Amino acid sequence: MPSRQRHPRAYEQKALAYEIVQRLRLPNNGSLNSILGEVEIAQAVAKDAGLPFVRIDTLGLDADLIESKISRPFARKHRMVPLQLENGKLRVACSNPYDIEGIDSFRRIVDREVTLVVASEPDILKAINEVYGLRHSVKRAERDLSSGIDLGNLEQLVHMKSESEIESSDQHIVNAVEFMLQHAYDTRASDIHIEPKREHCLIRFRIDGVLHDIQTMPKVVHKAVVNRIKTMSRLDIAEKRRPQDGRVKTTRAGKDIELRVSTLPTAFGEKVVLRIFAPDILLKDLGQLGFYDDELTVFNDFISRPHGIILVTGPTGSGKTTTLYSALKTIASREINVTTIEDPIEMVYEDFNQTAVHTKAAVTFASALRHILRQDPDVIMVGEIRDDETAQYAAQAALTGHLVFSTLHTNDAASSITRLADLGLERYLISSILIGSVAQRLARKVCSHCSKDCFLTEDEITALRLTVPKGKRARAKLGEGCFECRGTGYLERTGIFEILPMTETIQQLTIEGADAPHIKREAVAGGMNTLRQSALRKLAEGVTTFEEVVRVTAI
């Protein structure tokens, strides 16, 4: 605890000095390329006060603890937020450890020994907004939605809100959904899951491919939140017995963001999943996807062909759509007509002519593809080849001079050839129209802020079937966990690719009816790297970890 003997105006002087340092835009560590920011100033304040400096991870905050110990006005005024209870002591983050009045007032309020740490002012304000924003809105909504007729006055006429009034006009519900979306954007979430349980509702975010529990809501609020999202995405509020799909377009920091909304009836109510699509995530330069230079050269050769079929394979969530959109973006120009058929349209992009599958209106992949061939296309992207009719029309498009992109759900690149044969395409036809197949996965990257060197254990080496010279150790990297990666040791993801070009050898094997393992062996002999080999390459370079290699390329 800072000494009480400091000058009574120390608080004002330090606060003023804090603002002055920011306004001076002083160079950081003598470098003219960067200036002192909030974090560096807070670190200096912490050092001056002899206190630890921390970064606040909002996902790890105990919201109940915070709300029980400090009010929102007090927290905002004094820039303080409780972090956790440790051995009976309350650990509290503050931006100004010289605010003696505020600290003393807080100690009297909680009537508990307080341990101070220093955090930057933006971190503290963000924590306050996220804890008191979403939780406050949910609590107010619970209070409003739980209120009923006053039984103490049986003659009193009470106006009960209709469902539509609650759905569209309740400000607390609107605020709760807004706070939830803002929190998702700030944490780089790709999906928001709103899951009804027996006693409550659980909100989870998928960050870098892994789900994190974020918030629980009372069951009474769940229905209103779901209806608010349905209203935003123009879904039928009255329909609760069947799944529905919709979309919402919004903006953040000047960028368009699209949300794909999916509802599903479950045992305890409607579950809602919102998938977040931002242009800088879905539309990237091909060099940012994780291709090595040799792989990128082969893939660029694929997409520069005038006609044929290019397949991208992998399970759901493996990044196939990002690869396809990025490839289309690379070749799109005013000289060519790029047309897509999607189910649903992942993100609206003006340079493409996008068509959505609509089963009720008899618009399927096959029927849409049949009509698109009359639209003078140059490049066609078919979201997925699911049936023999779609496969036949895709083959026809490739034969008549069109470049066709599509996806298949197969485990590796070689299996895409046998899958096309299973869908009724003749083997000789596949050998002549298929340019190549790309199998891919997404692996989490080691956090660059907390990575450290490590060595693979004997068991890990055996599991990966590696050969390590006697007396040598296999070096790798892992993340210790920090503020930037939210303690996971991972930050962002990278693509792992297996690229199979249709060489003369592969064409001949295709015509002869070879199975997928045979084709894969010959492709590897011809220089193709398998998914496991590509993942091991990134493990050796310290890009990912042993656990991720095993997870995404399990044999």
Side-chain angles (χ1 to χ4, degrees):
M1 176 67 68
S3 171
R4 287 177 169 272
Q5 301 304 315
R6 290 185 179 270
H7 192 278
R9 293 190 57 81
Y11 165 56
E12 290 85 351
Q13 292 169 352
K14 290 291 180 180
L16 181 60
Y18 197 94
E19 296 178 4
I20 291 174
V21 172
Q22 285 182 281
R23 293 174 183 174
L24 288 177
R25 301 179 63 84
L26 297 173
N28 185 12
N29 293 329
S31 172
L32 296 178
N33 295 324
S34 62
I35 62 172
L36 286 177
E38 297 278 0
V39 171
E40 290 78 21
I41 296 173
Q43 287 173 331
V45 171
K47 184 177 180 181
D48 181 64
L51 296 173
F53 169 77
V54 299
R55 298 297 304 273
I56 301 176
D57 178 8
T58 54
L59 292 183
L61 291 176
D62 185 341
D64 290 327
L65 172 69
I66 295 172
E67 288 192 325
S68 67
K69 300 298 182 184
I70 190 170
S71 68
R72 183 175 187 173
F74 188 94
R76 288 188 64 86
K77 177 181 178 181
H78 296 285
R79 302 297 197 258
M80 299 172 63
V81 62
L83 299 180
Q84 60 192 115
L85 274 173
E86 293 179 334
N87 301 321
K89 297 180 181 179
L90 187 61
R91 192 164 181 251
V92 179
C94 63
S95 64
N96 189 344
Y98 304 106
D99 180 6
I100 305 301
E101 179 184 347
I103 294 169
D104 284 348
S105 296
F106 182 72
R107 290 183 63 195
R108 288 194 297 270
I109 292 170
V110 298
D111 192 24
R112 184 184 293 274
E113 189 173 349
V114 172
T115 301
L116 284 182
V117 295
V118 177
S120 69
E121 188 170 289
D123 275 3
I124 290 178
L125 290 176
K126 181 179 177 183
I128 292 170
N129 287 338
E130 291 190 6
V131 169
Y132 289 97
L134 177 58
R135 290 183 62 87
H136 177 73
S137 297
V138 167
K139 284 192 171 184
R140 293 292 297 273
E142 179 187 17
R143 184 197 66 188
D144 293 348
L145 296 174
S146 298
S147 60
I149 297 176
D150 179 9
L151 297 179
N153 182 356
L154 297 180
E155 294 183 346
Q156 180 180 351
L157 179 62
V158 178
H159 172 66
M160 300 289 291
K161 288 185 178 180
S162 68
E163 183 174 275
S164 61
E165 287 177 315
I166 293 174
E167 293 156 1
S168 60
S169 65
D170 192 281
Q171 191 60 44
H172 300 308
I173 292 298
V174 173
N175 291 341
V177 173
E178 288 291 327
F179 279 118
M180 180 181 68
L181 294 178
Q182 293 292 339
H183 194 180
Y185 300 152
D186 289 339
T187 55
R188 301 179 296 104
S190 60
D191 300 84
I192 303 171
H193 290 241
I194 304 173
E195 304 174 349
K197 306 298 182 183
R198 187 183 301 276
E199 302 294 338
H200 63 273
C201 168
L202 177 64
I203 297 176
R204 300 199 288 172
F205 290 172
R206 186 177 297 279
I207 303 171
D208 291 335
V210 178
L211 283 170
H212 298 262
D213 291 356
I214 300 299
Q215 174 77 43
T216 58
M217 295 191 302
K219 197 66 179 290
V220 69
V221 179
H222 168 260
K223 182 179 178 182
V225 168
V226 170
N227 286 336
R228 169 60 184 166
I229 294 172
K230 281 185 170 184
T231 300
M232 292 169 62
S233 53
R234 299 181 182 179
L235 298 181
D236 186 353
I237 295 175
E239 179 57 73
K240 296 174 173 59
R241 297 169 298 175
R242 63 178 177 86
Q244 297 186 69
D245 293 302
R247 62 193 317 113
V248 180
K249 184 172 182 178
T250 182
T251 59
R252 178 174 170 79
K255 295 181 180 178
D256 288 342
I257 295 177
E258 296 213 13
L259 307 174
R260 197 175 74 195
V261 181
S262 172
T263 70
L264 180 71
T266 68
F268 300 115
E270 283 186 285
K271 177 185 176 183
V272 178
V273 174
L274 296 90
R275 173 156 286 187
I276 301 171
F277 292 105
D280 54 350
I281 295 176
L282 205 58
L283 291 163
K284 295 184 177 180
D285 291 333
L286 291 176
Q288 297 177 315
L289 299 182
F291 285 109
Y292 284 107
D293 290 342
D294 53 338
E295 295 172 335
L296 187 56
T297 299
V298 175
F299 190 69
N300 276 325
D301 176 64
F302 284 2
I303 66 176
S304 63
R305 304 285 185 90
H307 54 80
I309 295 179
I310 299 170
L311 295 175
V312 180
T313 75
T316 300
S318 59
K320 300 188 299 294
T321 301
T322 298
T323 299
L324 287 175
Y325 267 62
S326 299
L328 293 176
K329 176 190 173 187
T330 300
I331 62 178
S333 70
R334 292 190 176 277
E335 288 74 33
I336 65 172
N337 174 13
V338 178
T339 304
T340 73
I341 310 167
E342 304 172 63
D343 182 21
I345 295 174
E346 303 285 9
M347 190 184 74
V348 177
Y349 187 60
E350 289 187 0
D351 288 357
F352 308 155
N353 298 295
Q354 297 169 281
T355 300
V357 167
H358 198 303
T359 307
K360 285 187 176 180
V363 180
T364 63
F365 279 119
S367 65
L369 184 51
R370 182 172 68 248
H371 290 288
I372 280 173
L373 290 176
R374 304 170 191 161
Q375 290 281 316
D376 187 30
D378 297 293
V379 178
I380 303 170
M381 194 270 275
V382 182
E384 182 183 351
I385 296 179
R386 298 176 179 172
D387 51 57
D388 54 357
E389 188 179 8
T390 305
Q392 292 291 342
Y393 281 117
Q396 180 183 341
L399 284 171
T400 54
H402 304 90
L403 183 61
V404 180
F405 292 83
S406 192
T407 69
L408 285 175
H409 286 287
T410 61
N411 290 328
D412 57 18
S415 297
S416 62
I417 295 175
T418 54
R419 175 61 178 152
L420 288 179
D422 292 341
L423 289 172
L425 292 185
E426 298 292 341
R427 289 268 182 165
Y428 73 87
L429 183 59
I430 297 172
S431 69
S432 64
I433 63 173
L434 186 60
I435 296 173
S437 179
V438 179
Q440 73 173 81
R441 302 291 189 273
L442 288 176
R444 289 184 292 174
K445 296 167 65 175
V446 175
C447 175
S448 59
H449 301 277
C450 63
S451 65
K452 69 171 186 178
D453 290 336
C454 66
F455 296 95
L456 299 182
T457 65
E458 290 296 329
D459 289 342
E460 291 172 342
I461 291 172
T462 301
L464 295 176
R465 302 176 188 174
L466 297 177
T467 302
V468 179
K470 190 173 182 180
K472 299 290 185 180
R473 302 177 71 184
R475 187 184 296 274
K477 283 187 180 295
L478 59 82
E480 294 184 294
C482 65
F483 172 81
E484 298 295 338
C485 64
R486 299 183 179 274
T488 64
Y490 297 100
L491 185 64
E492 300 181 344
R493 292 186 288 178
T494 184
I496 307 291
F497 299 94
E498 176 181 288
I499 304 179
L500 172 66
M502 285 296 286
T503 62
E504 291 183 4
T505 301
I506 303 302
Q507 285 178 325
Q508 187 60 39
L509 288 173
T510 301
I511 293 172
E512 293 172 358
D515 60 11
H518 188 183
I519 293 173
K520 185 172 184 175
R521 285 194 299 272
E522 291 298 325
V524 171
M528 182 188 80
N529 287 323
T530 64
L531 283 168
R532 172 57 64 87
Q533 289 170 334
S534 296
L536 289 175
R537 190 172 172 183
K538 299 209 170 186
L539 172 64
E541 294 175 356
V543 175
T544 191
T545 64
F546 164 80
E547 289 78 12
E548 282 297 284
V549 170
V550 173
R551 183 178 70 87
V552 302
T553 64
I555 297 177

